[in-house]
Amino acid sequence: EEEGKNSLAYIIPRLKDLVLGGTTQDHNWNLSPDENDTKDIIKKCHTLFPQLKNADILEIKVGLRPARKKIRLEIEKYSDNVVLHNYGHGGSGFNLSWGCAQDILHLMQSIE
């Protein structure tokens, strides 16, 4: 769901902390944290993982994840130059990185 109690939420473990997140907002390019978004993210993550209830919040950041209806993954030639297009993954960039990297490798190997 894009809204409501089952809307986007994620918890990404790192070496010394966790990253909590989860919003999908078309055409919102604001780089300042929104208090309501922060509260909603924390609430959803607590629902997923109640052990976070008393966790310290180290910092609050905003991450923009530009998305497209379809990922652009192609090579385009301009005279002697080559441009590699690999974008539009939205919030799935990390999840798709291995497969897209493999596809890009195959595309690059096909260049004469």
Side-chain angles (χ1 to χ4, degrees):
E1 295 177 17
E2 291 195 23
E3 295 181 19
K5 65 177 183 149
N6 294 320
S7 63
L8 176 67
Y10 58 84
I11 302 169
I12 301 173
R14 301 192 306 184
L15 289 177
K16 296 183 179 182
D17 58 13
L18 302 169
V19 175
L20 310 182
T23 61
T24 300
Q25 301 169 349
D26 290 341
H27 309 292
N28 182 351
W29 301 104
N30 184 4
L31 293 174
S32 298
D34 178 280
E35 186 177 338
N36 291 325
D37 288 342
T38 301
K39 287 179 184 177
D40 190 47
I41 289 168
I42 292 169
K43 180 179 176 185
K44 290 184 292 185
C45 290
H46 285 175
T47 299
L48 288 172
F49 198 69
Q51 294 88 332
L52 294 174
K53 186 173 184 174
N54 296 317
D56 293 330
I57 296 174
L58 303 177
E59 61 185 321
I60 298 172
K61 292 186 174 184
V62 173
L64 302 180
R65 307 290 188 268
R68 300 165 48 103
K69 290 183 180 181
K70 184 177 178 185
I71 295 169
R72 185 169 186 192
L73 189 63
E74 64 182 320
I75 290 178
E76 193 169 4
K77 292 185 179 182
Y78 295 97
S79 300
D80 293 335
N81 298 311
V82 175
V83 175
L84 172 69
H85 298 279
N86 182 9
Y87 58 86
H89 302 84
S92 300
F94 179 80
N95 297 336
L96 299 174
S97 64
W98 293 102
C100 288
Q102 188 69 35
D103 290 346
I104 290 298
L105 176 62
H106 292 304
L107 286 171
M108 292 180 71
Q109 290 171 338
S110 71
I111 298 174
E112 294 182 5

